[in-house]
Amino acid sequence: MSRLVTTLTAPRSWIIALVGLLLGVGVIAGIGHAERSASALDTLPAGFDSTQGQALLDELPDEGSKTAIVLFTADSDIEASLPELSQLMEDVAPEGAEPPATQGSGAGEGAPEGGAPEGAEGSGAPEGAGQEGAEGSGAPEGAGQEGGGPPPGLSGEYPVIPAEDGTAAISVIDLDAPTATDTQQVVTQLRTDLSDGVPDGVTAQVTGPAAIEADLASVFDGANITLLGTTAAVVALLLIVTYRSPILWVIPLLVVGVADQTAASAATHVLKLFGIPWDESTIGILSVLVFGAGTNYALLLISRYRDELRRHSSRHEAMALALRRAAEAIIASASTVVVGVLCLLLSVFPSTRGLGLACAVGVLVAMAFVLLVLPGALVVFGRWVFWPQVPREGQAVLAESRSLWRRIGDTVAKAPAAYIAGTLTLLAAMAFGITQISSGLAPEDQFLETPEAITAAERLGESFPAGTSDPLVVVTRGDEAQVDELAAAVEDVDGVTQVTPVEPVDGIGQVQVVLEAEPGSEPAQETVGEVRAAVEGYADTHVTGGDASALDESDGNVRDRFVVMPLILALVLLALMGLLRSVLAPVILVTSVVATFCAAIGVSWWLFTGVFGFGAIDASMPLLAFLFLVALGVDYNIFLITRTLEEAGVHGTRDGVLRALGATGGVITSAGILLAAVFAVLGVLPLVVLAQIGVVICIGVLLDTLLVRTVLVPAIVRVLGERFWWPRRVDQAGRHRTDEEGTETGGPGTAELAPAGAPDAR
């Protein structure tokens, strides 16, 4: 370790920094991001009924097709325009598109011939947004008209089916679009052609699975570039404010920026290597995490380096000691984050597993750049890089100063028990909002700005059965007779308005089921359960589609919370126990972070409902917010407590925590504010779930930084004194013991605790 530190801080260490940056740039330019193959199964919970149904649908020969529903609306009677609309559909049909190929008669009342498509693949929409894996749309109940022969518009290749109220009509088309990018391009062109060719007085919109997937892809166009630019700007601004230097901020921003892009490239290739999928939001969250964690580590190292420059005339010696001291906290911090995010590998959602592995790679890359590249990049410049506040040898170090944070610590030390009680009472009051939380967003609530596919689906529900745009699909591996039996069984379920059997292809048959209830509603989910009960006795038969997938996703998120969240706590706790060689201290630190999480969720709920107008939280948000708050929130406690342990060897634990607070208060506060701001930037992305994650983490980090780390933890340490380290014992002579015989142990500060200004012992 000593040899490596000497190499990284030697006069020629700038060569190492330059090589590291060039290697990062080489990775970014040379290999870039790995290409991903998206699947409808990526966002569905593994092993659940809707996922198994989608897997069956993926075996169909037309697995690259996706269903779009064209909705025509008019202020007056639309039937007069049906022939023209039917011809328009034939004119604008994209290359490779097919008309609905449903065979067999609809079991629902009034189902017109050819009313449902076959074989359309899932949409790939985010959790709860539209349908995942639904197979087209059956014709709405009561569509068409009585009498001899079909009405005008129903006889073309792409039938245009009018609603009974005469204000709307729909046409269903299967698009050849294997990927999300293909879907976006095809739907965009289809919308343009429809808008140019629609008759006067008629409006055309496109909804259905293909349109939802296209709109999701569209709102992410350039979003990650916007996120990266906004994040970099926020970090630059806060670094300038923190350092109050026109020069210094450029160095950590450059190093972390290269680390961010290197991490994105490395993470996608690692994910591809292990066959783990990722989605559009993975790189965005990864970028925020790398910028946040990397900049935090840089702040800690630079703060310690600045402090050591006040003790040493040589900047290389100062950086060597700073790197030794800071590396312990940085490595410990990164280890807890990596351990935490890797717990996501146990999620039932493949894309969530991808996020966990990507974040682990990102944090390791950020740590490596800060510890291996940043020291050389800093020492190549003289002290002038800190201008105008240049540290001079002989100036008072932070631990000896009367900083704002030391004064706060001294105030807390006068009545620590009162501050503990007051802080816990405040956190409990803030957490009360948890009791009011409603979970699960309706499809129309998934986006910050509602796209056309959602508004069209809402309008469609005014003239047709609400479930027309988002039907269930009963999929089975069986013959035509079994498909007919399933159709008959489902037809008797309350809340089902139309049932359309589809003749088996390659031994896989389907039954299209249109529900009366609005997609995403509680009645719709109740009907899903009844449909599943009706087909329960049939082998290899599953119910998929929008509402079925949403129901399973909700159950999958509940499962993840009960399995992954306790595991995160347990592993972070064990990591802290190994770091501190203590039992009581890690329990206190982890408990304080959990209290922060509860308070952040409670306050956020009032903000979501009272300020942002969100009716519920996304079901996946609590797990991700908990993960990042616990893993990153523990960081600040690690920064404080490792410094406390270092100071305790000379000054005792009670005084040591005050000195540690004075020494680390400024940098931890700066790091916390920066991390909170960086996660708040997630709000520039178009999905409500990302905005909610950003808000909760922002509030939680600020609470942890300004309240828990500044008041609660120091107060607890002041009350417990040396018992805080139980069963470890810390003597002021610098010896660390874990048993009554005084056996020395390792860990932060073991052989390195020396009076301020003493030469490095290693």
Side-chain angles (χ1 to χ4, degrees):
M1 179 66 177
S2 295
R3 182 174 299 177
L4 177 61
V5 169
T6 301
T7 302
L8 293 174
T9 58
R12 293 187 179 181
S13 58
W14 64 269
I15 299 176
I16 299 175
L18 180 61
V19 170
L21 290 174
L22 290 177
L23 284 175
V25 172
V27 170
I28 298 167
I31 66 174
H33 292 189
E35 294 184 0
R36 70 185 186 96
S37 299
S39 167
L41 301 178
D42 291 351
T43 56
L44 296 178
F48 282 70
D49 189 53
S50 60
T51 309
Q52 296 178 61
Q54 180 60 49
L56 273 183
L57 295 178
D58 284 352
E59 296 181 21
L60 292 170
D62 57 348
E63 60 174 331
S65 68
K66 292 167 186 157
T67 301
I69 301 174
V70 179
L71 172 68
F72 297 103
T73 55
D75 295 333
S76 58
D77 190 3
I78 201 172
E79 290 203 17
S81 303
L82 292 182
E84 191 173 355
L85 295 177
S86 181
Q87 183 61 49
L88 174 62
M89 287 299 302
E90 296 187 24
D91 293 341
V92 302
E95 182 179 356
E98 298 179 356
T102 299
Q103 300 180 22
S105 60
E109 177 186 358
E113 179 182 356
E118 175 189 10
E121 184 178 55
S123 70
E127 175 188 339
Q131 71 184 57
E132 293 270 9
E135 293 285 307
S137 170
E141 178 182 2
Q145 60 187 27
E146 297 180 1
L154 285 181
S155 58
E157 186 176 11
Y158 296 95
V160 180
I161 306 166
E164 290 183 348
D165 62 10
T167 65
I170 63 170
S171 184
V172 181
I173 183 171
D174 287 352
L175 304 178
D176 182 19
T179 68
T181 301
D182 295 333
T183 305
Q184 179 188 2
Q185 294 173 350
V186 172
V187 170
T188 299
Q189 186 61 50
L190 177 60
R191 284 170 170 163
T192 300
D193 294 341
L194 286 167
S195 177
D196 293 341
V198 75
D200 292 339
V202 178
T203 301
Q205 295 176 290
V206 183
T207 184
I212 292 175
E213 181 175 8
D215 286 344
L216 181 63
S218 295
V219 295
F220 268 100
D221 277 347
N224 284 337
I225 295 177
T226 301
L227 179 67
L228 178 61
T230 306
T231 302
V234 168
V235 170
L237 176 62
L238 291 176
L239 286 177
I240 292 172
V241 172
T242 298
Y243 293 131
R244 293 186 289 278
S245 168
I247 304 169
L248 180 60
W249 65 274
V250 176
I251 301 173
L253 182 62
L254 174 63
V255 172
V256 175
V258 174
D260 169 69
Q261 292 303 296
T262 304
S265 296
T268 55
H269 283 277
V270 170
L271 290 170
K272 186 174 183 179
L273 177 64
F274 287 97
I276 300 177
W278 68 96
D279 59 26
E280 291 86 351
S281 64
T282 302
I283 301 303
I285 295 176
L286 172 64
S287 182
V288 166
L289 178 63
V290 172
F291 258 103
T295 309
N296 278 359
Y297 301 154
L299 285 169
L300 185 66
L301 176 63
I302 294 174
S303 175
R304 192 61 186 257
Y305 174 48
R306 186 203 293 263
D307 221 22
E308 296 301 332
L309 285 173
R310 299 185 177 105
R311 293 173 169 172
H312 300 272
S313 59
S314 168
R315 64 181 186 274
H316 299 285
E317 292 179 4
M319 176 56 79
L321 185 56
L323 183 58
R324 284 193 183 94
R325 302 295 195 189
E328 294 170 346
I330 291 172
I331 292 173
S333 169
S335 299
T336 58
V337 176
V338 169
V339 166
V341 297
L342 285 179
C343 292
L344 292 183
L345 291 175
L346 296 180
S347 170
V348 296
F349 296 93
S351 59
T352 301
R353 296 199 291 267
L355 177 63
L357 183 55
C359 288
V361 172
V363 170
L364 291 175
V365 171
M367 178 187 69
F369 268 78
V370 169
L371 293 181
L372 302 179
V373 176
L374 184 59
L378 286 170
V379 297
V380 70
F381 302 100
R383 296 171 184 261
W384 60 266
V385 77
F386 288 92
W387 183 86
Q389 295 184 338
V390 180
R392 304 294 183 187
E393 186 179 7
Q395 291 178 340
V397 297
L398 289 174
E400 305 285 350
S401 68
R402 294 294 302 169
S403 66
L404 169 66
W405 310 107
R406 178 58 189 263
R407 293 197 299 272
I408 292 175
D410 289 342
T411 301
V412 171
K414 294 176 182 178
Y419 278 98
I420 293 173
T423 303
L424 292 178
T425 300
L426 178 60
L427 291 175
M430 297 173 74
F432 178 75
I434 292 179
T435 62
Q436 310 299 309
I437 282 179
S438 174
S439 177
L441 292 173
E444 63 271 17
D445 296 329
Q446 290 283 340
F447 300 88
L448 290 175
E449 296 182 3
T450 308
E452 179 179 313
I454 299 299
T455 57
E458 293 174 346
R459 174 61 183 87
L460 187 150
E462 296 175 8
S463 299
F464 296 95
T468 301
S469 65
D470 196 11
L472 293 182
V473 181
V474 179
V475 57
T476 185
R477 195 184 298 277
D479 54 20
E480 185 173 353
Q482 181 164 311
V483 171
D484 291 337
E485 289 180 17
L486 289 170
V490 172
E491 184 182 6
D492 295 332
V493 174
D494 291 339
V496 171
T497 65
Q498 180 188 336
V499 177
T500 307
V502 180
E503 184 175 319
V505 176
D506 291 345
I508 298 175
Q510 307 167 49
V511 178
Q512 308 284 340
V513 183
V514 177
L515 306 184
E516 181 180 4
E518 181 181 353
S521 64
E522 186 174 340
Q525 294 191 350
E526 292 175 355
T527 305
V528 171
E530 294 177 9
V531 170
R532 283 177 168 165
V535 302
E536 187 176 5
Y538 294 88
D540 209 358
T541 299
H542 309 281
V543 180
T544 188
D547 286 307
S549 296
L551 183 61
D552 288 347
E553 288 164 5
S554 177
D555 292 342
N557 280 302
V558 171
R559 178 266 179 198
D560 278 0
R561 288 198 292 271
F562 278 102
V563 173
V564 180
M565 289 171 69
L567 182 62
I568 292 171
L569 278 183
L571 292 182
V572 169
L573 183 63
L574 289 175
L576 284 177
M577 288 179 176
L579 168 70
L580 299 176
R581 306 293 194 270
S582 168
V583 173
L584 182 58
V587 170
I588 292 173
L589 298 181
V590 170
T591 302
S592 71
V593 175
V594 173
T596 301
F597 167 76
C598 294
I601 286 283
V603 171
S604 297
W605 173 249
W606 301 121
L607 288 176
F608 293 156
T609 55
V611 177
F612 298 110
F614 301 151
I617 62 171
D618 186 89
S620 65
M621 185 274 287
L623 173 62
L624 297 179
F626 180 84
L627 165 67
F628 291 122
L629 269 184
V630 169
L632 297 173
V634 166
D635 282 2
Y636 302 122
N637 284 326
I638 289 175
F639 296 163
L640 174 67
I641 294 304
T642 53
R643 185 59 182 263
T644 299
L645 187 55
E646 179 182 333
E647 298 288 345
V650 179
H651 302 281
T653 298
R654 286 189 169 89
D655 288 341
V657 73
L658 299 181
R659 292 175 60 85
L661 184 60
T664 64
V667 64
I668 292 178
T669 300
S670 299
I673 292 174
L674 188 146
L675 186 66
V678 166
F679 268 95
V681 171
L682 281 175
V684 306
L685 292 179
L687 296 181
V688 169
V689 59
L690 296 180
Q692 291 183 342
I693 291 172
V695 169
V696 173
I697 294 178
C698 177
I699 293 174
V701 168
L702 290 177
L703 282 175
D704 194 77
T705 303
L706 301 176
L707 184 63
V708 173
R709 185 268 315 171
T710 304
V711 177
L712 180 61
V713 172
I716 293 174
V717 175
R718 289 288 300 185
V719 168
L720 294 177
E722 309 303 328
R723 292 171 296 173
F724 179 75
W725 310 108
W726 182 87
R728 182 177 187 168
R729 292 179 57 188
V730 179
D731 293 338
Q732 292 187 33
R735 298 182 63 204
H736 298 252
R737 301 181 301 187
T738 56
D739 53 42
E740 293 301 323
E741 289 73 29
T743 303
E744 291 185 8
T745 65
T750 298
E752 303 152 352
L753 293 178
D760 183 21
R762 292 190 292 182

